[in-house]
Amino acid sequence: MHSNPNDIPFVKPSAARYAQLGLLKIAENACRQHGDKVWIGEEDDAMLLLAGARHIRFFLENESSFPKELEHTASVRRILLGQSLITAREGEEWRLARRLTAPMVNPKSTLLKKGTQLSAQWLVAALQDPKQDSMQEVCLQWALMCVAQGFVGPTLSPPQLNTLISHFRKIYLELIVAAPTEDYAALCQHPSLAAFREELESMIGPLITGGGGGAGNINMLQRFCQALDINAHPQERERAISMLLGNLAASVDNTGIALLWCLIHLSQHPHYQDWVREESRHAKRDIACAIVKESLRITPVTAFFERGTEGPLEIDGAVIPAGTKVLFSPWLVHRNASYWPEPLSFRPERFLEGRKIAREYFVPFSVGKRNCVGMALALDQLTTAIETLCSHCHFSLAPSTVPAALTPICGLNVMPRGPICFTIESLGRVTQHEYIA
């Protein structure tokens, strides 16, 4: 006998409650009070939060029933990124974007491998410079340097690309604010969007070409232009630019904030820095990789991923109607004691013990066919950065750090709530200074 979806508990936070706590804390409280299946919102516009590992497994077994179709009323990212991989609808459009992107985010790519190594060295120099004062900005700049040449070549400098991405974030937030009161057509004509597109064209447009170097030196933009044959099909020019921007934004924001969380955890557990340093002397980096994975487990930068139901679905005995918005939560699965002993303890050894970890227990890059296409690259970049940094510096949380600053807040991704101070000590030098995130 099926139960009614209305039997699933409802949590109806007010707008003020959303503003005060944010969705992440509301979801945590809802699951603590009602279990791992709960409606959030008003009845006519509620999301179904499925926060158990069995729900992730159900999704994997029934993925075709959970399309990622973005409605016009909720497609601010699609307005900005057009037909990019991130926002592409199911079907040939998405398959094309995935096929073109996958080879260009391979960590063994000549250009990206070079970028990963050089940016790690830059990171060490930046953190040893007491003039720098924002760890968050340094981490984002590091992530940008990792991919800049591999994505667009050497013509645009990292500061130019950083300006572009900063404007992207600003416009995205402006459109999110405007979305509830303006229809899709009005959002597409938003003045700030027009100015951003003009800036994007002025920076990326001159780099567009159908040519390129050898297979090991071709950058992402050249790859897109060749595959879409924009010389013969100039209408594909906008698609090439939007696909590039989508990959660039995702590669910088998520990876940069992931590094910041890695440094926060390592600052509180300095013995792991010694462990990384010792392994590095023997050309090993197992513990560095485990540290990255444990950081992504306890503080995944993507707390939720959303899907819709194509038709009625039976989930835990309840028949969920077609068109339901469903939230799956890496954050809540990763912090559930049923799957991870002492889930709030930072223990990278979990990933060294040889224990097979069920696929549905660890999903920091989402899961299924639409998981992050660049996850192998991000893991390599983060591991290289941690190994290099620990080999040159010792870092800890400064006494001036307010504990509340470490609590997460979910915006574009999961970030620390406030400024965090680090004490950086250069190994082999008698220098020490504070660094503010």
Side-chain angles (χ1 to χ4, degrees):
M1 178 137 182
H2 300 313
S3 65
N4 190 311
N6 292 328
D7 293 337
I8 300 171
F10 252 96
V11 172
K12 303 176 183 180
S14 65
R17 197 70 172 158
Y18 265 117
Q20 178 189 7
L21 296 180
L23 176 59
L24 186 58
K25 181 56 70 174
I26 286 171
E28 285 182 324
N29 292 343
C31 288
R32 190 176 298 115
Q33 184 175 357
H34 300 291
D36 61 11
K37 184 169 75 276
V38 60
W39 292 101
I40 296 181
E42 298 297 329
E43 282 89 341
D44 58 348
D45 190 33
M47 301 176 291
L48 179 61
L49 174 63
L50 299 176
R54 71 185 183 284
H55 299 130
I56 301 287
R57 185 168 59 251
F58 181 85
F59 168 77
L60 285 167
E61 293 168 350
N62 302 272
E63 190 170 0
S64 61
S65 299
F66 291 97
K68 189 178 180 180
E69 290 294 330
L70 301 177
E71 301 172 3
H72 281 173
T73 55
S75 58
V76 167
R77 286 180 72 85
R78 189 171 178 84
I79 292 173
L80 270 167
L81 297 176
Q83 301 178 88
S84 77
L85 175 64
I86 295 172
T87 61
R89 300 183 190 280
E90 301 289 351
E92 183 55 34
E93 176 189 318
W94 176 81
R95 284 190 290 272
L96 172 65
R98 185 88 176 191
R99 188 170 67 248
L100 294 181
T101 300
M104 307 310 297
V105 290
N106 184 336
K108 295 181 181 179
S109 156
T110 302
L111 289 176
L112 289 178
K113 192 171 183 178
K114 180 180 178 182
T116 295
Q117 293 167 343
L118 290 177
S119 61
Q121 295 164 12
W122 174 88
L123 180 64
V124 170
L127 295 187
Q128 290 177 333
D129 180 2
K131 296 179 182 177
Q132 301 280 357
D133 62 358
S134 171
M135 184 72 87
Q136 180 178 317
E137 285 304 315
V138 167
C139 288
L140 292 171
Q141 185 71 16
W142 160 82
L144 178 59
M145 292 183 69
C146 280
V147 298
Q149 188 162 342
F151 282 14
V152 299
T155 305
L156 288 181
S157 67
Q160 287 176 301
L161 288 172
N162 188 51
T163 297
L164 185 66
I165 294 176
S166 296
H167 287 182
F168 171 84
R169 296 187 197 104
K170 179 175 181 290
I171 301 306
Y172 179 73
L173 293 173
E174 281 189 33
L175 293 183
I176 286 289
V177 171
T181 57
E182 296 189 28
D183 61 22
Y184 182 77
L187 286 176
C188 289
Q189 301 301 318
H190 196 283
S192 295
L193 179 61
F196 175 72
R197 283 180 172 153
E198 184 176 334
E199 177 188 31
L200 184 62
E201 173 62 32
S202 69
M203 292 181 68
I204 304 298
L207 306 181
I208 295 255
T209 171
N217 294 315
I218 188 171
N219 63 54
M220 180 178 283
L221 183 60
Q222 291 170 336
R223 161 81 172 172
F224 290 163
C225 291
Q226 285 181 3
L228 297 172
D229 195 4
I230 64 164
N231 291 329
H233 307 284
Q235 71 275 11
E236 296 285 15
R237 176 189 182 92
E238 185 175 343
R239 183 192 292 210
I241 293 177
S242 68
M243 286 170 59
L244 172 73
L245 180 61
N247 279 283
L248 194 59
S251 297
V252 172
D253 279 23
N254 288 345
T255 312
I257 298 304
L259 178 62
L260 178 59
W261 280 116
C262 285
L263 298 181
I264 289 170
H265 293 303
L266 273 176
S267 294
Q268 298 173 88
H269 302 89
H271 64 286
Y272 287 118
Q273 298 178 41
D274 298 332
W275 192 346
V276 172
R277 203 171 295 124
E278 180 59 29
E279 275 203 347
S280 183
R281 293 191 187 105
H282 301 283
K284 295 176 63 178
R285 55 185 213 165
D286 295 344
I287 187 60
C289 184
I291 286 166
V292 170
K293 289 180 178 178
E294 177 68 346
S295 181
L296 289 170
R297 181 196 66 81
I298 200 169
T299 45
V301 294
T302 300
F304 307 98
F305 62 92
E306 181 182 341
R307 295 292 186 270
T309 55
E310 189 170 57
L313 277 177
E314 182 182 343
I315 301 176
D316 291 350
V319 177
I320 307 302
T324 298
K325 295 178 183 177
V326 179
L327 284 182
F328 298 94
S329 179
W331 183 276
L332 294 170
V333 169
H334 289 184
R335 289 169 161 244
N336 190 319
S338 298
Y339 320 127
W340 300 93
E342 300 179 36
L344 300 186
S345 296
F346 185 75
R347 194 167 66 82
E349 294 92 331
R350 301 174 200 270
F351 293 94
L352 295 176
E353 293 167 347
R355 178 174 63 94
K356 183 175 174 58
I357 297 172
R359 183 168 51 163
E360 61 267 25
Y361 289 3
F362 185 61
V363 288
F365 298 99
S366 187
V367 71
K369 65 183 180 182
R370 293 195 73 127
N371 65 356
C372 174
V373 70
M375 59 183 174
L377 176 62
L379 280 172
D380 184 66
Q381 291 167 342
L382 290 163
T383 300
T384 301
I386 293 302
E387 179 191 15
T388 306
L389 188 57
C390 288
S391 296
H392 292 82
C393 301
H394 177 85
F395 43 98
S396 57
L397 284 182
S400 54
T401 298
V402 179
L406 298 172
T407 59
I409 184 169
C410 188
L412 294 177
N413 42 36
V414 178
M415 300 176 61
R417 189 173 293 268
I420 301 163
C421 299
F422 295 81
T423 299
I424 309 293
E425 180 181 353
S426 299
L427 300 178
R429 297 191 201 174
V430 188
T431 61
Q432 181 176 303
H433 61 274
E434 279 199 9
Y435 216 105
I436 301 175

